[in-house]
Amino acid sequence: MKTKRTIVVAIAVLIIIAALVWIAQRFGLGKEEKGAGPVAQVQVAKVERKTITEKVIVYGSVVAQPGKTHSVSVAFETRVRHILVAPGQFVQENDSLIEIELSPAAQVQFQQAKNAAEAARNELKQTQERFNLKLATNQDLSGAEKTARDTEAQLAALQRAGAGGDNRIHSDISGVIAKVDGQDGQIVPAGGPLVEIVAENEIEVKLGVEAEDLSAAQEGAPIKIVALNDPTAAKVDGTIRLVTRRIDPTTRLVDIYVALPEGTKLLLDGYVRGEIQRTEKNALVVPRSAVLPNESREFEVFTVANNRATRHTVKIGAENPNEIQVLAGDVHDGDPVVTVGNYELEDGMTVEIKK
């Protein structure tokens, strides 16, 4: 009896299992739908055609305008007695810059010029007396007059340059001392620079700009200048005066020069930051979070159509902290672009848009 009962129970269990298997196969229980993959949860925003403004940041320094540095020198060899100014010092017109004296060679030259002028004057006087007595010709008188004029001119040139007069060299402009070339006791040859001065209204800013940002750096465009050595200083409203057409071989940047408003007190050789506003009109704009870099050093966005994601390779234009301009032929105004969840997406993946 027990054996029969056991056999009956086993048969019943087998029948139940077979029935369950048939039901599962019949109604597809426990199976995933064929072709179904993972569904990504994303959020989207609309691509917009609008105006976007970007702030381009560049750096540089305060310099003298090219060719505007005034070099102070004398026309004869001198010995520096004492330097009266320091680099960076502001001087007014006629302020004393340096004390000098004639070098030994220049003293001889100056004395020779005085002796020659005196001898020429005496010779002219004697020739004039002989001419009056009919003992000299017109040619003799003309030659003596020419010699006297030449020697007087040489002496006057030395005297105008400072020889034999005030031993101090004075500034002929108001400005900033850019460089002091001499030092006490130094012998400076004729025409050698002693001091270099930059006029206050000839100081400007030189900045280095990436070649790709040149569209924002147009001559005549406004630019904000901030002195980095003085965090409390107010921004200066400058104007781009010149955009060069070459890349500096050292910095690999394009140099631009900025004219400053009158009365600007930026320090010469000071480090500054420039802020240029670049505006792109009629641009395709997406939220910054929609743009992703890829392994090819390009950028991509995903749009959604019929609950599927489509990858687009794009180039980027103007950008600010919130938005980016995208350049692509297959992205259009009004397309839903993925802003959240795009890091997990693959091209063609099924997505579900979350509000």
Side-chain angles (χ1 to χ4, degrees):
M1 283 296 288
K2 285 185 180 180
T3 301
K4 288 182 178 180
R5 189 179 300 164
T6 302
I7 292 173
V8 172
V9 171
I11 292 172
V13 170
L14 290 174
I15 292 172
I16 293 171
I17 292 174
L20 292 174
V21 171
W22 179 85
I23 292 171
Q25 290 177 345
R26 176 69 179 81
F27 296 100
L29 298 177
K31 278 189 175 182
E32 290 185 354
E33 189 178 334
K34 266 191 178 181
V39 178
Q41 304 289 319
V42 300
Q43 294 180 15
V44 298
K46 295 290 185 181
V47 179
E48 296 182 81
R49 188 170 291 280
K50 58 190 287 190
T51 298
I52 182 172
T53 300
E54 175 185 23
K55 182 185 291 185
V56 179
I57 304 297
V58 293
Y59 295 91
S61 57
V62 182
V63 299
Q65 290 182 18
K68 294 296 185 178
T69 300
H70 299 259
S71 181
V72 177
S73 61
V74 291
F76 52 87
E77 189 177 76
T78 60
R79 176 180 176 274
V80 178
R81 266 188 183 173
H82 187 53
I83 301 294
L84 303 176
V85 292
Q89 179 178 340
F90 183 81
V91 295
Q92 300 285 353
E93 185 176 355
N94 210 37
D95 282 355
S96 297
L97 303 175
I98 189 170
E99 287 183 355
I100 62 169
E101 62 184 9
L102 295 174
S103 70
Q107 290 178 14
V108 173
Q109 180 186 2
F110 182 56
Q111 188 61 48
Q112 287 175 339
K114 289 198 296 183
N115 295 341
E118 184 178 356
R121 286 193 295 269
N122 292 335
E123 179 64 25
L124 175 60
K125 182 179 179 181
Q126 294 174 6
T127 304
Q128 182 68 54
E129 290 175 352
R130 292 199 303 272
F131 180 78
N132 294 337
L133 297 173
K134 309 296 185 182
L135 299 176
T137 65
N138 286 331
Q139 185 176 0
D140 295 334
L141 182 60
S142 297
E145 289 175 343
K146 180 181 182 303
T147 301
R149 287 196 300 269
D150 290 345
T151 56
E152 289 289 350
Q154 291 175 355
L155 178 61
L158 288 173
Q159 290 174 331
R160 283 196 302 271
D166 184 5
N167 288 330
R168 290 195 173 194
I169 302 297
H170 301 271
S171 174
D172 56 357
I173 61 171
S174 296
V176 178
I177 303 297
K179 186 179 179 183
V180 176
D181 296 285
Q183 55 185 337
D184 290 3
Q186 179 180 353
I187 299 295
V188 180
L194 296 169
V195 176
E196 296 177 15
I197 306 175
V198 179
E200 191 175 20
N201 61 350
E202 294 173 348
I203 292 176
E204 62 183 10
V205 168
K206 177 184 176 183
L207 302 169
V209 180
E210 295 280 358
E212 62 191 33
D213 292 327
L214 278 181
S215 60
Q218 300 294 322
E219 292 182 6
I223 180 173
K224 298 283 188 182
I225 301 297
V226 182
L228 298 181
N229 52 286
D230 185 3
T232 62
K235 294 182 179 180
V236 176
D237 294 317
T239 304
I240 298 177
R241 181 184 67 83
L242 173 66
V243 179
T244 61
R245 293 295 183 266
R246 67 182 286 271
I247 293 179
D248 188 291
T250 303
T251 64
R252 309 308 301 170
L253 301 173
V254 178
D255 292 334
I256 67 172
Y257 292 87
V258 177
L260 301 173
E262 188 175 351
T264 302
K265 302 296 183 182
L266 292 179
L267 300 178
L268 197 62
D269 295 325
Y271 196 42
V272 297
R273 181 180 76 242
E275 300 175 358
I276 310 172
Q277 295 289 339
R278 180 172 71 179
T279 300
E280 292 288 345
K281 298 180 178 179
N282 198 33
L284 282 177
V285 178
V286 299
R288 174 173 283 275
S289 60
V291 180
L292 303 176
N294 60 24
E295 296 177 354
S296 303
R297 295 187 178 180
E298 297 175 330
F299 297 91
E300 61 188 26
V301 299
F302 285 91
T303 59
V304 176
N306 300 321
N307 290 330
R308 290 195 176 274
T310 302
R311 177 191 285 115
H312 306 270
T313 300
V314 300
K315 295 181 179 179
I316 63 173
E319 56 183 297
N320 57 43
N322 301 315
E323 298 173 318
I324 296 181
Q325 176 191 9
V326 294
L327 307 170
D330 54 353
V331 178
H332 306 93
D333 184 20
D335 286 349
V337 63
V338 178
T339 58
V340 176
N342 44 0
Y343 281 94
E344 294 80 18
L345 292 183
E346 296 290 341
D347 192 31
M349 181 180 288
T350 302
V351 298
E352 179 183 347
I353 298 176
K354 299 175 65 177
K355 297 294 184 181

